[in-house]
Amino acid sequence: MKQKRAISPVKRRRMLISNVQAYTFMIPNLILFICCSLYPVIWTLRFVFYQYSGLGTAAPRWVGLANLERVFRDAVYWKSVVNTFVYGFGKVIIILPIAFILALLLSKQRKGNGILQSVMFLPTIMSSAVMGLVFYLLFNAYNGEINVILMKLGVISRPINWLGRDHAMQTLIITAVWGGLGNYMVYFIAGLQQVSKDALESAQIDGANAVQTVWYITLPMLGPILKIILMLSITTAFHDITNVMVLTEGGPTNATMVMALYGYQYFFPVSATTSILPQYGYGAAVSVVSAVIAGIVTLIYLAISKKLDEVY
């Protein structure tokens, strides 16, 4: 058997110094992770089993599984689950095709494409609160610009209540598409730059038109980046609450209430008019159940994508 070569003292000292430097750089990130991620998760899991209304009130009282049982009996919460899936699915099926088409048009080296890419990306870096306020003014039922334009064009004869029960969810989806379109476009552009030029040229030589080239060459080669984009769009839909808070606050009559906002309002009531008081224990239970649902959806998506990889 070969004997292990002894490490010289000088080399051992260098390794020790290198390790100390590496751990020194890791310590600040580790502290932030513990304080800002791990501790809040532990705190939330702990308060699932307590009834507590915050500082200055009675001490936390152990209630066991009562909060979780209440979640499963809460019709409003399960309505928020359905709304979350409607919101997420509606956003994905609209934003991804448009982002892909824009990426195809703007990924080519043409004069002015760089400026257009920057313009399309601007909504992504805009504050979500500001964006929600802008769309609130645009879709206002009484003097919103959307109604004014449509009435001048003769499309409608009277103002539409875009933030009412019948149209509020569609308005939220439109706002989310406008705000995230540039981000997904950039992802697609990054993926298109990795597509083999030789494969595209071979398809053109074989007589494939533009649509056939995109369908049979470009899209299959975008498989890895497309899986990432789909994952991001799915996970984003489960915690996207800013637009909902600014535009509708989950109303009217919970028509646009989503899971993340429903749990959030038990920690921080979204407005002075809400009838919900801080209930940290129940809010923690709602958050945990929502996280489990999001995790299940993610696992299902990963399993499906893995099966597709095996097939293709």
Side-chain angles (χ1 to χ4, degrees), residues 23-34:
Y23 288 124
T24 302
F25 281 111
M26 290 174 58
I27 286 173
N29 291 329
L30 183 62
I31 293 174
L32 286 174
F33 170 76
I34 292 174

Side-chain angles (χ1 to χ4, degrees), residues 41-215:
V41 169
I42 295 174
W43 187 93
T44 301
L45 292 174
R46 172 176 175 259
F47 273 95
V48 167
F49 306 101
Y50 287 86
Q51 180 179 333
Y52 184 49
S53 298
L55 299 175
T57 62
R61 182 170 61 88
W62 174 269
V63 293
L65 298 176
N67 286 325
L68 290 173
E69 293 174 355
R70 179 181 167 188
V71 172
F72 288 101
R73 296 194 309 267
D74 192 341
V76 177
Y77 171 71
W78 292 105
K79 183 177 182 179
S80 75
V81 174
V82 175
N83 289 339
T84 302
F85 280 94
V86 171
Y87 174 78
F89 183 72
K91 175 183 173 182
V92 169
I93 63 173
I94 295 174
I95 199 171
L96 294 188
I98 298 176
F100 178 65
I101 293 172
L102 286 174
L104 284 175
L105 296 174
L106 300 179
S107 61
K108 302 184 183 299
Q109 297 296 329
R110 294 175 181 171
K111 187 177 181 180
N113 273 7
I115 297 175
L116 290 174
Q117 289 178 15
S118 301
V119 171
M120 294 302 301
F121 190 73
L122 279 177
T124 303
I125 62 176
M126 183 183 293
S127 168
S128 298
V130 173
M131 183 176 64
L133 181 59
V134 169
F135 272 81
Y136 177 82
L137 296 174
L138 287 174
F139 285 98
N140 190 285
Y142 301 103
N143 55 0
E145 289 299 319
I146 300 298
N147 277 333
V148 171
I149 293 172
L150 292 177
M151 291 180 68
K152 286 183 177 179
L153 294 175
V155 178
I156 58 176
S157 58
R158 58 181 180 177
I160 296 175
N161 186 5
W162 296 104
L163 299 176
R165 183 177 180 84
D166 295 332
H167 303 286
M169 183 59 74
Q170 294 91 316
T171 303
L172 287 176
I173 292 173
I174 292 171
T175 306
V177 169
W178 186 83
L181 186 60
N183 204 22
Y184 293 106
M185 181 195 70
V186 170
Y187 294 145
F188 276 120
I189 289 176
L192 289 171
Q193 292 176 348
Q194 305 302 318
V195 174
S196 171
K197 300 296 187 294
D198 294 335
L200 297 176
E201 291 175 358
S202 299
Q204 293 174 356
I205 293 172
D206 291 338
N209 57 35
V211 176
Q212 291 172 331
T213 301
V214 170
W215 185 258

